[in-house]
Amino acid sequence: MDTNFSDDFLVKGKFSIKKASTEYKGKLTKEEGGQLLIEEKEKLRELQEKLYADGSKSLLVILQAMDAAGKDSLIEHVFGGVNPQGCNVTSFKTPSSKEYSHDFLWRHYLALPQKGMIGIFNRSHYESVLVCKVHPEYNLSEKTWSSVKDFDNKFWENRYESIRNFEHHLSQNGTTVVKIFLNVSKDEQKKRLLDRINEQEKNWKFSAADLPERALFPQYMEAYETAINETSKDHAPWYVLPADNKWFARVAAIQIIIDTLEKMDLKYPQLGDKEKAGLEEAKKTLESE
């Protein structure tokens, strides 16, 4: 049985969202997937410790998805076993007035992981070519443009170029970028939204604002397809994961992250002769107590 899915969902060449599965789960059962996730979490914990010890590189994981696709629970289940000192999660909401007073990438620079760290963006700079593409009037809050008519093809080409340059700059300066889109179907999203209404303990998750956005599902899919095609590069690849089965999306995501960390050629620091001699002296001192 093939239990490694890390390369199966890498975007290669022209991406079509209509051809991307939302239901695929390989030949795994949910129980097998749960056990595999436990095993992979131990690998991730060890690699995260090595990244922290190495201290020369960082990993940025970008998660994008429609409402109710499972971003929050994926973060909880995939990264729940790593040392919290070496991992930061940033959830990007609607920009504040201060953030709108800067360029659209500014607040994302502030949240980047430092060397030795894993940074997770729950939503990201891609919102500027997703929700802001579906609702172009939102861009007016940046106060740089005077009319929705300003948001023509050239405007969006510039946005994609800015994102590509941003991610290329990160990759050249020690940050590896991995981008994951959780591809949930409209039917599954409906089921999960209804669960939030019907199950009292999930009521807090439901927002009436989700429904108008759901009505724009086709427009969002078009925006995602374009953004992925415009920005999937070898140094900042996109992975499109089937997300109708949350447990499978978690397994695929953790394998992608593990494979990425393994390719980063991380090393534990090597002690010099002076440091090794110091260890021997410390050992003798402790053993003589």
Side-chain angles (χ1 to χ4, degrees):
M1 182 189 301
D2 180 10
T3 57
N4 191 328
F5 306 95
S6 59
D7 289 330
D8 293 359
F9 309 110
L10 173 65
V11 172
K12 303 172 185 175
K14 188 72 172 178
F15 170 68
S16 169
I17 203 153
K18 290 182 179 179
K19 295 180 180 179
S21 174
T22 63
E23 299 178 327
Y24 181 81
K25 57 183 179 180
K27 296 179 181 179
L28 286 179
T29 64
K30 185 175 181 179
E31 291 71 25
E32 290 169 336
Q35 181 58 41
L36 184 56
L37 182 63
I38 292 172
E39 296 168 5
E40 300 287 50
K41 285 173 74 171
E42 179 59 24
K43 294 180 189 176
L44 178 59
R45 186 195 66 77
E46 293 172 358
L47 284 164
Q48 184 256 332
E49 180 179 323
K50 198 172 185 180
L51 173 71
Y52 191 81
D54 182 288
S56 67
K57 303 171 184 177
S58 58
L59 174 65
L60 175 62
V61 180
I62 294 171
L63 295 176
Q64 289 288 159
M66 295 292 289
D67 295 321
K71 296 188 307 301
D72 293 344
S73 63
L74 185 146
I75 292 170
E76 176 186 356
H77 286 83
V78 168
F79 294 97
V82 303
N83 188 333
Q85 292 187 100
C87 184
N88 288 325
V89 180
T90 306
S91 296
F92 290 99
K93 308 297 184 183
T94 302
S96 65
S97 58
K98 179 179 181 179
E99 289 167 341
Y100 271 133
S101 69
H102 295 270
D103 69 90
F104 80 99
L105 290 171
W106 178 76
R107 64 177 181 158
H108 306 287
Y109 268 108
L110 299 180
L112 290 172
Q114 66 191 61
K115 301 294 174 62
M117 301 284 288
I118 295 176
I120 304 159
F121 282 5
N122 185 346
R123 301 192 188 276
S124 68
H125 44 287
Y126 279 94
E127 293 300 299
S128 291
V129 291
L130 295 170
V131 65
C132 290
K133 186 124 184 238
V134 175
H135 299 280
E137 66 275 12
Y138 291 177
N139 294 301
L140 296 174
S141 296
E142 295 180 20
K143 302 177 183 179
T144 304
W145 297 273
S146 58
S147 169
V148 174
K149 294 179 181 179
D150 293 332
F151 309 129
D152 54 11
N153 288 338
K154 185 62 177 177
F155 172 86
W156 297 113
E157 289 171 6
N158 288 338
R159 285 272 145 129
Y160 297 128
E161 182 178 15
S162 293
I163 290 172
R164 290 192 296 267
N165 290 340
F166 172 55
E167 293 173 352
H168 189 231
H169 172 76
L170 296 181
S171 72
Q172 289 184 316
N173 288 274
T175 298
T176 297
V177 181
V178 170
K179 301 174 290 191
I180 295 173
F181 170 52
L182 300 180
N183 187 23
V184 70
S185 66
K186 192 175 182 183
D187 286 344
E188 180 63 21
Q189 186 196 52
K190 176 183 176 179
K191 177 181 176 297
R192 293 180 188 177
L193 292 175
L194 284 171
D195 286 344
R196 293 179 178 183
I197 295 172
N198 294 329
E199 299 178 32
Q200 187 173 357
E201 66 275 15
K202 293 183 179 180
N203 286 171
W204 65 274
K205 292 184 175 182
F206 182 77
S207 170
D210 292 341
L211 297 185
E213 295 305 289
R214 174 175 164 77
L216 298 169
F217 204 94
Q219 291 93 317
Y220 273 102
M221 293 300 99
E222 181 180 351
Y224 268 107
E225 181 177 276
T226 302
I228 289 169
N229 278 317
E230 289 284 345
T231 62
S232 193
K233 302 294 179 183
D234 289 343
H235 59 267
W238 271 107
Y239 294 83
V240 178
L241 304 189
D244 282 0
N245 296 289
K246 287 185 178 181
W247 62 266
F248 180 77
R250 295 164 189 164
V251 168
I254 198 170
Q255 290 180 338
I256 289 164
I257 294 161
I258 287 171
D259 283 358
T260 300
L261 284 166
E262 288 178 339
K263 291 174 183 176
M264 289 169 67
D265 192 27
L266 303 170
K267 296 179 175 64
Y268 285 108
Q270 297 294 312
L271 297 181
D273 292 340
K274 183 177 180 180
E275 289 80 5
K276 289 179 180 178
L279 284 179
E280 287 299 318
E281 287 299 318
K283 180 180 179 181
K284 292 177 183 177
T285 301
L286 288 168
E287 290 178 341
S288 66
E289 288 184 356

